[in-house]
Amino acid sequence: GAGVSQSPSNKVTEKGKDVELRCDPISGHTALYWYRQRLGQGLEFLIYFQGNSAPDKSGLPSDRFSAERTGESVSTLTIQRTQQEDSAVYLCASSLTSTYLETQYFGPGTRLLVL
Amino acid sequence: SQQGEEDPQALSIQEGENATMNCSYKTSINNLQWYRQNSGRGLVHLILIRSNEREKHSGRLRVTLDTSKKSSSLLITASRAADTASYFCATAARTSNTGKLIFGQGTTLQVKP
């Protein structure tokens, strides 16, 4: 079966523009996670979904960041009025359920560059 | 904020040698996981060790966990050039029974042929 996919693979945008990043989880996985990875750093948790609701948004860095999930499937991470410090790789992961016992399967990420 | 710290930050060894990476964390955990990342893109899950386990093996990988010291180590035996990658530890905090993971900064491993 297909793994987690993300689009676009790369995105270059100008400061101040809005961007949308998409994640398609593995079919049947109810939990979906977004992480951000700055150059040379580990991953930072942003938000996770259980079904279509987001019980934990604690990692979103500012109100410019938002995410939604529809149909217990696709998720979109939106960054409004992008800043240069938003440049990073944005990684999505899904797991069968949201408990700590489950393995998370990661997508290839979207590399965002804000000029 | 990042919970895990890993050392060394970078490690360079010859093919056939063993590689050991260490991870320390700050709060009580449900489990600790190790991931590999090639070329700064998607992560591959390697192994999960639960908080009540002390050692786990998977092929050439051996993971230990010492909850009293809040530390873990990943040993790769008989390394190969294909093991060249970045390795991250990640913890699932006991205060959150979800799969939310807190990652360390990672160790970059280079295996020379």
Side-chain angles (χ1 to χ4, degrees):
Chain A
V4 178
S5 61
Q6 292 185 246
S7 61
S9 296
N10 296 281
K11 176 72 177 178
V12 180
T13 190
E14 293 179 350
K15 178 181 172 181
K17 295 277 178 75
D18 298 351
V19 295
E20 281 190 356
L21 312 179
R22 176 188 169 109
C23 171
D24 284 85
I26 293 172
S27 178
H29 280 194
T30 64
L32 186 149
Y33 302 81
W34 283 98
Y35 296 89
R36 177 172 73 176
Q37 185 179 30
R38 291 199 166 107
L39 188 64
Q41 302 293 311
L43 279 69
E44 302 171 76
F45 168 81
L46 296 178
I47 184 171
Y48 98 90
F49 289 89
Q50 175 56 44
N52 292 337
S53 63
D56 190 342
K57 307 178 183 179
S58 62
L60 294 179
S62 74
D63 58 10
R64 296 187 296 104
F65 287 72
S66 63
E68 65 175 16
R69 188 180 185 195
T70 55
E72 294 197 354
S73 180
V74 172
S75 176
T76 303
L77 177 68
T78 301
I79 309 174
Q80 296 179 308
R81 305 180 303 282
T82 51
Q83 303 294 312
Q84 288 182 331
E85 62 262 28
D86 298 334
S87 296
V89 177
Y90 290 82
L91 290 147
C92 170
S94 71
S95 61
L96 199 56
T97 71
S98 62
T99 74
Y100 60 86
L101 297 170
E102 298 287 348
T103 296
Q104 293 183 27
Y105 297 87
F106 281 80
T110 293
R111 189 179 303 275
L112 174 66
L113 178 62
V114 182
L115 300 176
Chain B
S1 62
Q2 299 290 342
Q3 170 169 248
E5 293 183 4
E6 295 178 64
D7 81 274
Q9 289 189 339
L11 181 60
S12 181
I13 59 174
Q14 293 294 135
E15 206 165 26
E17 294 180 340
N18 295 342
T20 299
M21 289 160 266
N22 302 296
C23 166
S24 62
Y25 56 91
K26 296 177 182 174
T27 62
S28 295
I29 61 171
N30 281 318
N31 66 53
L32 185 144
Q33 304 179 40
W34 285 90
Y35 285 83
R36 186 179 82 184
Q37 184 178 41
N38 289 86
S39 305
R41 298 307 286 255
L43 276 72
V44 174
H45 182 261
L46 296 177
I47 197 165
L48 180 153
I49 186 165
R50 298 187 187 191
S51 60
N52 61 352
E53 296 177 311
R54 293 296 166 258
E55 187 171 312
K56 205 160 182 181
H57 296 255
S58 176
R60 294 184 295 113
L61 305 180
R62 173 178 166 248
V63 169
T64 62
L65 178 65
D66 186 336
T67 52
S68 66
K69 295 181 180 177
K70 291 187 168 58
S71 67
S72 173
S73 67
L74 170 67
L75 169 66
I76 304 174
T77 60
S79 64
R80 306 166 182 168
D83 294 329
T84 295
S86 292
Y87 292 82
F88 295 90
C89 68
T91 54
R94 192 176 293 278
T95 53
S96 165
N97 284 324
T98 71
K100 170 183 172 180
L101 294 175
I102 306 299
F103 282 81
Q105 300 294 305
T107 294
T108 300
L109 172 66
Q110 181 186 29
V111 182
K112 300 175 185 176

